[in-house]
């Protein structure tokens, strides 16, 4: 069964095969100061995006969930979750979000995070859902907080950057106690 999560402004759903071209095009343009664009001729990156689109809507390899974000009838980004039993305890998920430049600042990211997080707690029995972002990525930090995530700290030197020092990342999380409204 494939996942479809309806919100006020967004629909979280599997990618359609034809959307590969739109997603790939957005992977190869300037995506802002926190994520470098992929090279249009990077066949390995293109293959990984194809796998994400083709396996969208169900847990790929039991570890990855990739979904499209649709708003106003158009693809505006992607959201996903990962759980790797070799890297984290049972019930711990990590989420990620990417919005196309024209879709930013409209609340779509916050709503997509909230929908996916609720799904993970209700349908996947999550104990904890977490995300990390560059400490300077104010928009993502704000979206996480609006979606009910709590700031937990900074992972120093977390993200390597070619030709420069590794970036610090802010860690945010929601626990089952947060989800259930208990003081956790």
């Amino acid at each position: 069964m494939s996942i479809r999560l309806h919100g006020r402004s967004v629909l979280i759903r599997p990618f359609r095969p034809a959307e590969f071209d739109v997603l790939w095009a957005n992977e190869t343009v300037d995506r802002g100061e926190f994520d470098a664009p992929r090279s249009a001729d990077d066949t390995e990156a293109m293959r990984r995006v194809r796998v994400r689109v083709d396996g969208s809507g169900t847990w790929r390899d039991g570890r990855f969930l990739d979904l499209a974000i649709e708003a106003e009838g158009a693809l505006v980004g992607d959201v996903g979750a990962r759980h790797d039993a070799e890297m984290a305890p049972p019930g711990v998920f990590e989420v990620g979000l990417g919005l196309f430049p024209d879709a930013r600042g409209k609340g779509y990211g916050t709503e997509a995070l909230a929908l996916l997080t609720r799904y993970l707690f209700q349908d996947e029995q999550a104990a904890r859902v977490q995300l990390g972002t560059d400490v300077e990525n104010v928009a993502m930090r704000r979206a996480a907080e609006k979606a009910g995530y709590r700031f937990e700290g900074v992972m120093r030197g977390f993200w390597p950057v070619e030709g420069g020092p590794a970036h610090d990342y802010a860690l945010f999380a929601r626990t089952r106690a947060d989800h259930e409204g208990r003081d956790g």
Side-chain angles (χ1 to χ4, degrees):
M1 180 174 151
S2 148
I3 299 166
R4 292 182 70 81
L5 307 173
H6 296 267
R8 188 185 84 263
S9 302
V10 301
L11 169 63
I12 308 301
R13 59 161 175 77
F15 282 101
R16 298 178 183 120
E19 291 174 327
F20 168 81
D21 292 331
V22 175
L23 185 59
W24 179 246
N26 277 278
E27 293 275 332
T28 60
V29 297
D30 184 5
R31 299 184 299 170
E33 63 184 290
F34 304 109
D35 201 4
R38 311 277 187 252
S39 169
D41 60 355
D42 183 340
T43 56
E44 179 54 25
M46 184 184 284
R47 184 195 67 76
R48 286 192 308 269
V49 171
R50 173 65 68 192
V51 166
R52 287 173 46 211
V53 169
D54 291 347
S56 180
T58 60
W59 285 96
R60 181 171 39 89
D61 300 330
R63 300 180 345 189
F64 303 101
L65 178 64
D66 299 298
L67 297 162
I69 303 171
E70 179 182 312
E72 300 177 26
L75 179 65
V76 298
D78 63 296
V79 66
R82 118 176 124 219
H83 170 72
D84 189 338
E86 294 180 23
M87 301 295 289
V92 175
F93 295 85
E94 185 154 351
V95 295
L97 168 74
L99 289 177
F100 301 162
D102 291 347
R104 294 179 186 149
K106 299 178 180 179
Y108 300 150
T110 299
E111 188 173 353
L113 280 175
L115 285 169
L116 181 59
T117 302
R118 185 174 64 228
Y119 168 81
L120 292 171
F121 281 112
Q122 292 177 347
D123 293 80
E124 299 293 338
Q125 311 317 308
R128 173 186 171 86
V129 181
Q130 63 188 34
L131 66 88
T133 189
D134 192 293
V135 294
E136 301 296 323
N137 191 343
V138 175
M140 183 61 177
R141 291 178 69 147
R142 193 171 339 164
E145 289 172 346
K146 286 181 179 177
Y149 284 74
R150 292 185 186 177
F151 173 72
E152 294 192 326
V154 174
M155 299 179 287
R156 297 176 304 119
F158 178 76
W159 197 267
V161 176
E162 188 175 328
H167 287 209
D168 295 344
Y169 256 48
L171 181 63
F172 292 83
R174 281 186 58 107
T175 65
R176 175 149 300 275
D178 297 332
H179 177 70
E180 293 174 351
R182 295 182 283 125
D183 192 21

